[in-house]
Amino acid sequence: MKIKVGVMGSAEENAPTKLREKAAALGRAIAERDVILLTGATTGLVYTVGRAAHDAGALHIGISPAHDEREHAERFNLPTGACDAIIYTGFGLKGRNVVLVRSCEVVLFIAGSIGSLNEFTIAYDEAKVIGCLVGTGGVADKAEHLIESFQKPTKASVFYDDDPVKLLEACLASL
């Protein structure tokens, strides 16, 4: 069975070039491993990761909050082009987050805001292997502080690195 690596984080579409380059490097690193990429079938840096991974030959499955493709595109304004397949949960954003995180063995964060924080807390509670691409902002940069501030014993393994390749390697090695 192939390992499923989820990428969560910023859906902001106007990220600086440096962050988009880091996202694309993460996507290519994922494609170089024999893993399946899962994302929220969304925009921004997560889309950049998914597009780069897909274009480099990775299997990219999107987990959508929508009921069907029409709702995915029209209500949620989400793209379909970077995914090989999309699973339409119909559960909305928070419900989709649970399905997405639980479907992964490794959960990686690049930047991220409140939605990513929700995904992070699910991953932490579910004792996932978590990787934070530090230097990208948001949840990825604040995760260590959050864990220290809101201590809760779990069996989650959390890794931090500013290099996408090293971060992915550390997370996969810990499995």
Side-chain angles (χ1 to χ4, degrees):
M1 192 68 91
K2 289 188 178 189
I3 295 167
K4 292 173 290 305
V5 174
V7 173
M8 286 126 219
S10 178
E12 172 61 42
E13 300 218 42
N14 297 317
T17 301
K18 185 176 180 180
L19 284 182
R20 289 195 316 271
E21 288 170 353
K22 207 167 249 208
L26 179 59
R28 289 188 299 273
I30 289 168
E32 291 173 2
R33 275 74 180 169
D34 191 25
V35 300
I36 298 171
L37 171 62
L38 277 75
T39 70
T42 192
T43 56
L45 293 175
V46 175
Y47 179 85
T48 301
V49 172
R51 170 54 68 193
H54 173 81
D55 289 351
L59 177 61
H60 176 196
I61 299 174
I63 309 296
S64 173
H67 174 61
D68 56 25
E69 185 174 353
R70 182 171 166 237
E71 185 180 40
H72 181 84
E74 293 177 11
R75 177 175 172 213
F76 290 99
N77 297 313
L78 297 175
T80 58
C83 298
D84 291 289
I86 297 178
I87 297 169
Y88 298 102
T89 65
F91 293 155
L93 293 169
K94 290 176 207 68
R96 181 269 316 264
N97 292 351
V98 173
V99 173
L100 175 57
V101 171
R102 283 189 171 169
S103 297
C104 302
E105 287 83 34
V106 174
V107 182
L108 303 176
F109 289 89
I110 180 167
S113 190
I114 292 296
S116 302
L117 178 60
N118 177 247
E119 291 163 328
F120 180 82
T121 60
I122 295 165
Y124 191 74
D125 279 346
E126 298 282 330
K128 297 294 183 176
V129 173
I130 300 169
C132 297
L133 191 56
V134 296
T136 60
V139 172
D141 283 353
K142 299 293 184 185
E144 190 169 18
H145 174 73
L146 291 168
I147 292 169
E148 290 172 4
S149 298
F150 303 101
Q151 295 181 7
K152 177 182 179 181
T154 74
K155 294 188 189 270
S157 300
V158 186
F159 298 88
Y160 309 92
D161 207 306
D162 64 352
D163 181 295
V165 173
K166 290 179 183 175
L167 179 64
L168 180 60
E169 287 173 1
C171 290
L172 292 174
S174 75
L175 292 175

